[in-house]
Amino acid sequence: FRKTRDVCFEIDGASVKGEKDIEKLNQEFESYINFGGFPEALFNSEIRDQMDRFISHDIIDKVLLRDLPSLYGLADVQELKRLFSVLAYNSGMEVNLGELAQSASIAKNTLKKYIEYLEAAFLIVRLPRIDENAKRLKRQSNFKVYLTNPCLRAAMFGKLEQDDEAFGPMVETAIVSQLAQSNTFSTTAYARWKTGEIDIVNLDPQTQLPLYIFEIKWSDRITKSPKSVLKHLLTFAKRQTQKPEICVATRSTRGGITIDGIKVIYRPAAYMAFTFSNIMVGRPLVMGRHPMGGFLFDSDVEVDPR
């Protein structure tokens, strides 16, 4: 895999070069979001056509209805499955423990345990919340929940296409699921305050200052109204003593812009997820200062093709 100013990809032996081929890359990205977590689905059309049977019933149900109950002595396994269904359908949503417990009719302490069990089974991951000053809240009653792999949703609720309303949250889920493999994920959060929100904030492990902030979009609106798209990110960045780098995931466009002295880079979401995946499997960067994002901001990056 080699990236230059033209942006080159190679997937399944096919070269994808430049923005004019982003549609081809997005087709592969759509396939990944729907089937990518299970190699048998990629190589077997029968499994792809019956994801609910092969993945949902044979894999997810075994974990939820057999493995977790036997490990933790759960009495109401259907309650756990209903909770996971809600979280899977709304992957990327912010969860308030009290509100979720009330709406799901589950005791708050039981709900906390269920979420811990689902994390332990590698079905979900959580992002903690920070405020506009990049400070963690003393009471972490709010957090965001993501599937560890976006195709779990497709297995349970059906295949998604690029123009479906739910595809955007799965794009965000795909990127977070790649970042979850990083040893810096423990210092990754999302930011929300009264007037704004940011999807992903990567904090320096030592100083706890923001290094990178990411906004995950499945649109190209940034090219038409950048200030509108970047409003909350710029507000957040300006409040920091050390200005973080900003990257916005788009559907098909790439480029850069400087607003009020702050540099913003935007890249196609498929490219971003593909790049992260290469880093997480240990393909070394020739350039790039940080495994979470520095390579995204370099103009010329080479990755060892091995």
Side-chain angles (χ1 to χ4, degrees), residues 150-166:
C151 75
L152 293 174
R153 188 191 191 281
M156 298 177 70
F157 302 106
K159 180 180 180 292
L160 290 170
E161 297 183 353
Q162 294 180 34
D163 292 327
D164 290 341
E165 185 177 352

Side-chain angles (χ1 to χ4, degrees), residues 239-267:
R239 295 182 69 95
Q240 312 309 315
T241 55
Q242 174 183 301
K243 298 297 182 286
E245 297 188 53
I246 298 175
C247 187
V248 178
T250 66
R251 181 163 177 163
S252 63
T253 58
R254 67 187 304 271
I257 189 172
T258 300
I259 298 180
D260 298 335
I262 298 175
K263 182 181 178 182
V264 179
I265 298 297
Y266 50 95
R267 299 284 187 265

Side-chain angles (χ1 to χ4, degrees), residues 53-74:
R53 173 186 169 190
F54 288 97
I55 306 300
S56 184
H57 294 169
D58 291 356
I59 297 178
I60 299 174
D61 283 358
K62 285 180 180 178
V63 174
L64 293 175
L65 304 181
R66 186 187 66 188
D67 296 346
L68 288 180
S70 64
L71 283 171
Y72 300 108
L74 302 180

Side-chain angles (χ1 to χ4, degrees), residues 32-214:
Y32 167 73
I33 283 176
N34 284 298
F35 312 117
F38 298 94
E40 59 266 47
L42 287 174
F43 298 115
N44 190 323
S45 60
E46 182 182 357
I47 294 178
R48 290 198 299 273
D49 293 337
Q50 301 183 58
M51 286 284 284
D52 58 335
R53 173 186 169 190
F54 288 97
I55 306 300
S56 184
H57 294 169
D58 291 356
I59 297 178
I60 299 174
D61 283 358
K62 285 180 180 178
V63 174
L64 293 175
L65 304 181
R66 186 187 66 188
D67 296 346
L68 288 180
S70 64
L71 283 171
Y72 300 108
L74 302 180
D76 193 343
V77 294
Q78 293 300 327
E79 189 175 63
L80 175 64
K81 185 178 180 181
R82 286 195 301 272
L83 172 64
F84 180 66
S85 296
V86 171
L87 297 178
Y89 190 80
N90 298 284
S91 181
M93 73 175 180
E94 184 181 46
V95 169
N96 177 279
L97 271 177
E99 293 176 0
L100 183 59
Q102 186 175 10
S103 63
S105 299
I106 302 174
K108 190 174 180 179
N109 288 337
T110 302
L111 179 63
K112 289 176 67 175
K113 290 180 180 179
Y114 283 170
I115 291 175
E116 290 171 2
Y117 297 159
L118 293 172
E119 274 193 301
F122 302 104
L123 291 173
I124 64 170
V125 293
R126 283 186 283 182
L127 281 185
R129 177 184 165 189
I130 58 176
D131 63 16
E132 67 269 37
N133 298 308
K135 303 297 183 184
R136 291 180 182 262
L137 305 183
K138 291 183 178 179
R139 295 182 60 188
Q140 281 289 345
S141 57
N142 286 53
F143 47 88
K144 289 177 79 172
V145 177
Y146 295 89
L147 290 169
T148 52
N149 195 294
C151 75
L152 293 174
R153 188 191 191 281
M156 298 177 70
F157 302 106
K159 180 180 180 292
L160 290 170
E161 297 183 353
Q162 294 180 34
D163 292 327
D164 290 341
E165 185 177 352
F167 196 81
M170 288 304 103
V171 169
E172 185 176 339
T173 297
I175 291 175
V176 170
S177 68
Q178 296 296 334
L179 296 178
Q181 312 308 312
S182 169
N183 57 11
T184 64
F185 191 66
S186 61
T187 56
T188 302
Y190 76 101
R192 190 173 69 80
W193 58 101
K194 189 174 292 186
T195 58
E197 181 176 348
I198 296 174
D199 292 330
I200 304 170
V201 181
N202 178 233
L203 303 168
D204 186 298
Q206 296 180 335
T207 66
Q208 293 298 297
L209 295 174
L211 290 173
Y212 307 100
I213 56 180
F214 297 86

